[in-house]
Amino acid sequence: MPTQHVECIWDPEVARVLGRASLAYLAVETSRGPHVTPLLFAATPDRLWFGIGRGTLKARAVAKRPAVGVVVPGENASVAIRGEATLVDRLSAPPAELVRTPLALPAFASRNALEMAAFARDVARRGARPQPLALVSVRIGALDLLDGWPAAAVLGWMAPGGPVALPARWDPVSERARVPADALQRAGGPRAAAACVCIDESEGRGPLAKRGTLLRGHGRATLRGAVASIALEPERVTRWRGFQTQTAAVALADRQAGTSVASSV
């Protein structure tokens, strides 16, 4: 299961993963460490593009700390990216990003047309008032093609240069995530860091079909050949279902009793 460092987003194997993925995971840096969630996305020749709520934690994080990590999942391989994000809806956005929006907007709309229709349907059904979307560009700094690593879960890991996102195999009983060791080492990831694991359990199109869990805390990495085993000590858990999101501290009593905070999802 080798890791291939790729220079171009339109490498045929990378393009195949991007073309088949329905979402991508965006990792941003917050005051509590990395924060990872799945989002709709689009790709242009030298950027990835996301739509995020203007008043969300992610928007505030990107405005303060532009370094981000991205995982685009595939059936048999995933693409891991490290780059720099820009909120393009701001007047202060660099001209290099603003001039790319005429290409990015139709690419995002056409790629996600069915999801956007389902979004409008679910908003009408529930009478929800979602936040206006802000366009975010991600300029790609480093790109890895990770063969044999579909993203059943995604690890967020704080490295000196910013958050790293990697496809992971998550064990909710042992609270361990296994990730490709060479990709973690290449990103400069330390042996201990603020960390999170995102488990997406969505079942279809539209917000009402979306659900998942984000565990946030601290992790310790143990390298075992080609695989790094990350022991996560969760401190906070966020669960989303439909338009509802709840965040709570992980109870010490649950951890002492050996109860997995992710097993009840």
Side-chain angles (χ1 to χ4, degrees), residues 9-157:
I9 193 174
W10 294 118
D11 172 271
E13 294 186 39
V14 172
R16 187 177 301 112
V17 174
L18 267 60
R20 295 177 178 176
S22 60
L23 53 82
Y25 294 81
L26 179 65
V28 301
E29 180 182 355
T30 72
S31 59
R32 293 181 179 271
H35 186 283
V36 178
T37 48
L39 297 168
L40 301 179
F41 80 104
T44 54
D46 59 353
R47 297 287 193 276
L48 292 185
W49 302 86
F50 297 88
I52 62 176
R54 284 194 177 95
T56 61
L57 173 65
K58 267 190 166 39
R60 296 192 298 272
V62 166
K64 293 180 180 179
R65 307 174 185 92
V68 297
V70 177
V71 166
V72 184
E75 290 185 4
N76 301 307
S78 294
V79 173
I81 291 169
R82 301 188 304 279
E84 182 175 327
T86 302
L87 281 169
V88 183
D89 71 329
R90 297 185 172 217
L91 293 177
S92 58
E97 305 306 317
L98 292 174
V99 299
R100 286 173 167 83
T101 57
L103 180 62
L105 289 172
F108 188 90
S110 62
R111 178 187 182 92
N112 299 296
L114 294 178
E115 277 285 356
M116 294 171 71
F119 180 87
R121 176 201 66 201
D122 290 351
V123 166
R125 284 179 177 175
R126 293 298 174 89
R129 293 187 176 182
Q131 295 190 33
L133 288 182
L135 190 64
V136 174
S137 71
V138 174
R139 181 173 57 83
I140 297 168
L143 188 153
D144 290 323
L145 177 65
L146 304 169
D147 287 325
W149 286 95
V154 171
L155 172 76
W157 189 258

Side-chain angles (χ1 to χ4, degrees), residues 19 24 47 51 57 59 96 100 105 122 171 181 184 203 221 223 230 236:
R47 297 287 193 276
L57 173 65
R100 286 173 167 83
L105 289 172
D122 290 351
D171 183 345
L184 182 64
E203 299 172 328
L223 300 182
I230 311 294
R236 298 178 71 79

Side-chain angles (χ1 to χ4, degrees), residues 223-249:
L223 300 182
R224 296 173 179 172
V227 176
S229 178
I230 311 294
L232 182 68
E233 297 181 4
E235 298 172 356
R236 298 178 71 79
V237 55
T238 299
R239 294 185 174 95
W240 64 92
R241 191 181 188 99
F243 292 102
Q244 303 300 317
T245 301
Q246 294 182 327
T247 298

Side-chain angles (χ1 to χ4, degrees), residues 156-177:
W157 189 258
M158 276 310 306
V164 177
L166 292 172
R169 302 184 185 112
W170 171 246
D171 183 345
V173 176
S174 65
E175 293 183 339
R176 282 183 175 271

